Amino acid sequence: MITLDVNGKKYEIDVDPDMPLLWAIRDGIGLTGTKYGCGIAMCGACTVHVDGMATRSCSMPVSAAVGRRITTIENVGSSRAGKAVQSAWEKLDVVQCGYCQSGQIMSAAALLAEKPKPSDADIDAAMAGNVCRCATYVRIRAAIKQAARSTV
Amino acid sequence: MMKRLAVCLMLAGPLLAPAQAATAADSKSEGEKLYMEMNRVLTHPRCLNCHPAGDSPKQGDSARFHVPPMTRGPKDSGPPGMHCAACHQSSNYAASGVPGAPNWHLAPLSMAWENKTPGEICRQILDRRRNGNKSLTEIVKHLTEDELVAWGWNPGTDVARRVREPVPIAKPEFNRIVHAWAKAGAVCPQ
């Protein structure tokens, strides 16, 4: 059995220690907001926070997540930066198909937690690993700026 | 006449006995030879890809730009919000094909080796203003004991489950060469 701290709750799950954290979260715990996109850390859809840092859950074995604080899209709104990002996303109607947006929001929240007033270049650099097939990039950048203003 | 001879001798520098001169030349050429062996490892893509001349790491044997696009950030470990550790864990991960080792990061720009000659890289490694203020002893330790450096001999498998090519020269032999190079005076080629 593996014990994980996800969104402030302890979960005991019976999974292979080498399983990607993504599948432990989705199938082991049942939190399906975190999405599978590519499985090779290229698209960012599976982004969660591990000890507050944006992390591709498809590229971390669940054994490496033991003893660490994991936050998923289901609970990102409990942090100031996460709440601001979610509100800005709603106000600017960022989402189109939505598949990548959980990962986008997790990356944006991690950026603002670390750099509350990011420049355009900071946003581009931090979000470069999150791809969107609907190309909502312009609204994503605007929403991050709006979230940054609201948290100052 | 005597005065001219004295000037000539001064210009020639200190005279060495023939045996001493031969030893110094041998040591220099031996040191250079040892460095050139080390240089084969240092300039292999497994090492060079993270000692880039610019702000972006490279990937693969062809040293293509890193995908997803990545920049070194203020501390050489990625920009705020997307650190190297977002994808690179403390060990290789076969499930995603993403390589990993402790403290995955880029070498600082002062230690960029891309497009440099062996002599330039060698002098850079020994220059405390550029090498993170490391002494020769610390450089030897870094080259022979650092876990991220050692990843070059254990680079894991890629997304297609192909084994990445490790650096040339087996690790124990490389370590022996590095120690021998340092002992021979850490000589650099021109």
Side-chain angles (χ1 to χ4, degrees):
Chain A
M1 295 295 273
I2 278 183
T3 305
L4 288 182
D5 176 346
V6 180
N7 299 334
K9 278 177 67 178
K10 293 272 193 289
Y11 293 90
E12 286 226 336
I13 50 173
D14 185 11
V15 296
D16 188 318
D18 198 45
M19 173 186 268
L21 175 61
L22 167 66
W23 298 113
I25 290 169
R26 285 183 60 86
D27 293 349
I29 297 173
L31 293 170
T32 54
T34 304
K35 302 302 181 196
Y36 167 79
C38 66
I40 55 172
M42 289 277 184
C43 77
C46 68
T47 305
V48 298
H49 295 174
V50 176
D51 293 334
M53 308 289 269
T55 302
R56 308 294 185 250
S57 62
C58 75
S59 190
M60 176 183 253
V62 66
S63 57
V66 173
R68 303 178 72 179
R69 190 168 41 86
I70 300 156
T71 305
T72 67
I73 187 70
E74 285 85 352
N75 197 44
V76 73
S78 67
S79 76
R80 193 160 178 239
K83 184 72 191 160
V85 168
Q86 285 183 321
S87 301
W89 244 250
E90 277 180 358
K91 276 180 195 149
L92 295 186
D93 205 8
V94 169
V95 176
Q96 194 160 318
C97 92
Y99 196 82
C100 71
Q101 297 293 329
S102 148
Q104 303 279 5
I105 287 169
M106 297 308 286
S107 287
L111 167 64
L112 289 183
E114 194 175 343
K115 188 143 195 177
K117 291 188 79 175
S119 65
D120 282 0
D122 291 329
I123 294 171
D124 290 349
M127 303 302 290
N130 288 81
V131 295
C132 172
R133 62 185 175 185
C134 310
T136 59
Y137 302 111
V138 175
R139 292 203 296 277
I140 285 171
R141 189 199 271 182
I144 292 173
K145 285 184 169 180
Q146 172 147 333
R149 282 193 295 274
S150 72
T151 52
V152 172
Chain B
M1 180 66 186
M2 285 302 287
K3 195 174 173 187
R4 195 177 295 164
L5 180 62
V7 169
C8 286
L9 283 172
M10 279 167 67
L11 289 174
L15 290 174
L16 294 174
Q20 279 178 299
T23 307
D26 287 352
S27 166
K28 188 179 178 197
S29 87
E30 183 58 22
E32 282 185 18
K33 270 189 223 162
L34 289 164
Y35 178 76
M36 289 307 289
E37 281 298 291
M38 287 165 55
N39 198 72
R40 289 173 56 209
V41 171
L42 306 188
T43 54
H44 186 277
R46 294 294 86 75
C47 293
L48 202 57
N49 282 353
C50 288
H51 283 259
D55 283 338
S56 299
K58 304 288 172 59
Q59 280 179 328
D61 293 342
S62 61
R64 62 183 179 273
F65 278 107
H66 188 283
V67 180
M70 189 67 180
T71 44
R72 66 170 62 246
K75 293 178 184 167
D76 302 311
S77 58
M82 191 168 77
H83 297 272
C84 302
C87 302
H88 298 276
Q89 303 304 319
S90 57
S91 56
N92 296 321
Y93 191 34
S96 63
V98 176
N103 193 23
W104 196 270
H105 67 283
L106 282 186
L109 207 48
S110 65
M111 286 302 290
W113 295 344
E114 200 179 14
N115 306 322
K116 296 263 171 73
T117 66
E120 286 170 335
I121 295 173
C122 182
R123 286 184 286 280
Q124 206 172 357
I125 287 171
L126 295 171
D127 182 355
R128 295 185 80 135
R129 286 168 303 174
R130 291 184 283 171
N131 74 4
N133 197 28
K134 287 188 173 67
S135 65
L136 178 59
T137 307
E138 288 167 324
I139 283 295
V140 168
K141 190 176 165 66
H142 176 73
L143 288 168
T144 59
E145 295 179 29
D146 184 84
E147 290 177 301
L148 183 53
V149 172
W151 172 85
W153 282 268
N154 176 33
T157 52
D158 66 13
V159 292
R161 302 288 171 107
R162 286 181 300 245
V163 176
R164 289 189 187 85
E165 182 183 279
V167 293
I169 308 177
K171 186 75 165 76
E173 177 62 4
F174 176 76
N175 285 5
R176 188 196 67 73
I177 291 169
V178 172
H179 284 290
W181 168 72
K183 201 173 169 189
V187 179
C188 290
Q190 282 303 304

